[in-house]
Amino acid sequence: MRAISLFSGGLDSMLAIKLIKEQGVDVTALYIYTGFGGTKDVRDELERRANLAGADFLAVDVREDYIQNLLFSPKYGYGKNFNPCIDCHGYMFKIAKKMLKDIDASFLVTGEVLGQRPMSQRKDALDQVKKLAEDEENLIVRPLCAQLLEPSKPELEGWIKRENLLDISGRSREQQLALAKKFGWDDYESPAGGCLLTEPVYSQKIREFIEFEEFNIEAIELLKFGRHFRLPNGAKLIVGRHKEDNEALQKLTLSDYQSFKLPVIGPLSLIHKSATLKEQELAAKIALTYGKSKKGQSYSIEVMGNTFTLEPFETKTEIKSYFFDA
């Protein structure tokens, strides 16, 4: 028998796999890639952790569908920021459920712990997730807290033994850490660093972005890096903060943005192709102000095929009105 386990790379999801694997069930760890998991692609790292827990690994890219069908219209709303956690969990189970026949799996597994997260892991929230997942057959197993919940079909049918599942609840990590020690694991922290949709600054960037542009897959990556500015006629400017930002922005493939560099050491910048000539000039002046330029000295900068000769701003306070993320 085989199960599909939703997989984040964190300790809870690794333990859920291990508990099911120990009952003689093969497990496929499924990573559902929404693009909001962090600033780095950690799929190789996730595969290593899934294998460590005893599962094979499968990743599925749902970014486009996630944006079109969930991100802006969650049935159960958002958390403190732009995080539709309940709807997101239900969505992921629906994706996994559709894959059961494809890989000859019989049920679903998750590392959720009752009461661990205030929005998405309350008892009523778990029931809402079940409805969203259309789990009429009762196929979802939560091995870490199963004994605190109604028995699932795999338990009732004897596919797995309920007595070998756990009764963990709340936000304490004591039992999970003890199990990790028992299994000899020391590589289990979430490599993605959490969901970007729970972060205030990233959520702020989304809200500002959709006032001017259509949010798409490119935007997911675009909002992860740099200082963000909105120019007077509505064009966006992004200025790298440091070397890592510059390198990340350089790698992006964007249909609506063009990059430009400075004649001095400084940030790589991206500007929307709709920028007017005045906006291009302002963008060059802003970027120059963040580079190693000298006050009162003129520099030639090319932006979108146009060359501007200008000086940096005297102080960064002069561009504060265009800068919308702290």
Side-chain angles (χ1 to χ4, degrees), residues 93-163:
F93 278 122
K94 285 185 74 172
I95 296 293
K97 187 179 177 184
K98 290 177 182 178
M99 299 176 66
L100 287 172
K101 289 184 179 180
D102 294 338
I103 63 172
D104 195 26
S106 302
F107 61 98
L108 305 174
V109 176
T110 172
E112 292 169 302
V113 171
L114 186 64
Q116 187 177 84
R117 297 183 185 275
M119 179 179 181
S120 61
Q121 293 181 16
R122 308 182 313 270
K123 178 61 173 67
D124 61 320
L126 298 184
D127 292 338
Q128 290 167 339
V129 167
K130 182 180 177 67
K131 290 179 181 179
L132 289 169
E134 300 174 2
D135 183 33
E136 296 88 357
E137 298 175 78
N138 201 18
L139 295 178
I140 298 175
V141 179
R142 295 179 170 88
L144 298 184
C145 61
Q147 292 192 26
L148 302 175
L149 305 172
E150 293 297 316
S152 62
K153 180 176 180 179
E155 297 164 73
L156 294 171
E157 295 290 335
W159 302 346
I160 55 175
K161 294 181 180 179
R162 182 175 174 85
E163 59 267 28

Side-chain angles (χ1 to χ4, degrees), residues 183-198:
F183 296 135
W185 295 346
D186 57 12
D187 176 23
Y188 48 75
E189 291 301 325
S190 174
C195 177
L196 290 171
L197 296 174
T198 66

Side-chain angles (χ1 to χ4, degrees), residues 231-251:
L231 303 177
N233 282 26
K236 173 182 277 293
L237 168 69
I238 301 172
V239 178
R241 294 176 184 270
H242 39 59
K243 179 182 177 182
E244 291 75 17
D245 260 2
N246 289 347
E247 291 174 349
L249 291 171
Q250 182 72 58
K251 291 177 182 177

Side-chain angles (χ1 to χ4, degrees), residues 264-265 287-295 297 299 312:
V264 296
I265 296 173
L288 186 61
T289 305
Y290 284 98
K292 292 188 179 296
S293 56
K294 295 181 180 179
K295 296 175 184 177
Q297 183 171 329
Y299 299 87

Side-chain angles (χ1 to χ4, degrees), residues 15-261:
L15 290 172
I17 289 171
K18 185 71 172 177
L19 291 170
I20 298 300
K21 185 71 177 176
E22 285 189 333
Q23 298 209 34
V25 177
D26 290 331
V27 181
T28 293
L30 178 63
Y31 175 59
I32 298 178
Y33 181 60
T34 66
F36 297 107
T39 57
K40 297 179 180 179
D41 188 339
V42 294
R43 279 173 280 191
D44 288 343
E45 194 170 345
L46 289 169
E47 183 170 7
R48 187 184 74 246
R49 293 180 182 190
N51 294 162
L52 180 64
D56 56 80
F57 179 77
L58 181 63
V60 57
D61 188 335
V62 300
R63 289 176 296 173
E64 187 170 346
D65 185 68
Y66 192 88
I67 291 170
Q68 291 181 356
N69 297 311
L70 188 145
L71 184 60
F72 299 108
S73 56
K75 180 177 180 180
Y76 292 104
Y78 300 99
K80 290 183 179 179
N81 295 293
F82 221 91
N83 48 312
C85 294
I86 294 174
D87 291 78
C88 186
H89 286 192
Y91 173 85
M92 290 184 174
F93 278 122
K94 285 185 74 172
I95 296 293
K97 187 179 177 184
K98 290 177 182 178
M99 299 176 66
L100 287 172
K101 289 184 179 180
D102 294 338
I103 63 172
D104 195 26
S106 302
F107 61 98
L108 305 174
V109 176
T110 172
E112 292 169 302
V113 171
L114 186 64
Q116 187 177 84
R117 297 183 185 275
M119 179 179 181
S120 61
Q121 293 181 16
R122 308 182 313 270
K123 178 61 173 67
D124 61 320
L126 298 184
D127 292 338
Q128 290 167 339
V129 167
K130 182 180 177 67
K131 290 179 181 179
L132 289 169
E134 300 174 2
D135 183 33
E136 296 88 357
E137 298 175 78
N138 201 18
L139 295 178
I140 298 175
V141 179
R142 295 179 170 88
L144 298 184
C145 61
Q147 292 192 26
L148 302 175
L149 305 172
E150 293 297 316
S152 62
K153 180 176 180 179
E155 297 164 73
L156 294 171
E157 295 290 335
W159 302 346
I160 55 175
K161 294 181 180 179
R162 182 175 174 85
E163 59 267 28
N164 291 344
L165 304 179
L166 305 180
D167 60 354
I168 301 175
S169 66
R171 306 190 72 171
S172 172
R173 307 281 289 167
E174 186 176 342
Q175 289 177 266
Q176 291 98 313
L177 292 173
L179 286 169
K181 185 176 181 180
K182 172 185 173 183
F183 296 135
W185 295 346
D186 57 12
D187 176 23
Y188 48 75
E189 291 301 325
S190 174
C195 177
L196 290 171
L197 296 174
T198 66
E199 296 184 2
V201 172
Y202 191 86
S203 298
Q204 176 188 350
K205 288 179 180 178
I206 293 179
R207 291 190 179 97
E208 196 278 343
F209 188 91
I210 61 178
E211 290 182 19
F212 297 87
E213 302 175 52
E214 182 179 351
F215 195 88
N216 54 26
I217 291 176
E218 292 182 1
I220 295 176
E221 300 302 316
L222 188 70
L223 301 188
K224 293 179 181 180
F225 310 104
R227 304 175 182 89
H228 287 240
F229 301 83
R230 187 64 66 178
L231 303 177
N233 282 26
K236 173 182 277 293
L237 168 69
I238 301 172
V239 178
R241 294 176 184 270
H242 39 59
K243 179 182 177 182
E244 291 75 17
D245 260 2
N246 289 347
E247 291 174 349
L249 291 171
Q250 182 72 58
K251 291 177 182 177
L252 296 181
T253 302
L254 303 167
S255 57
D256 293 328
Y257 286 80
Q258 281 193 12
S259 64
F260 67 91
K261 296 181 179 179

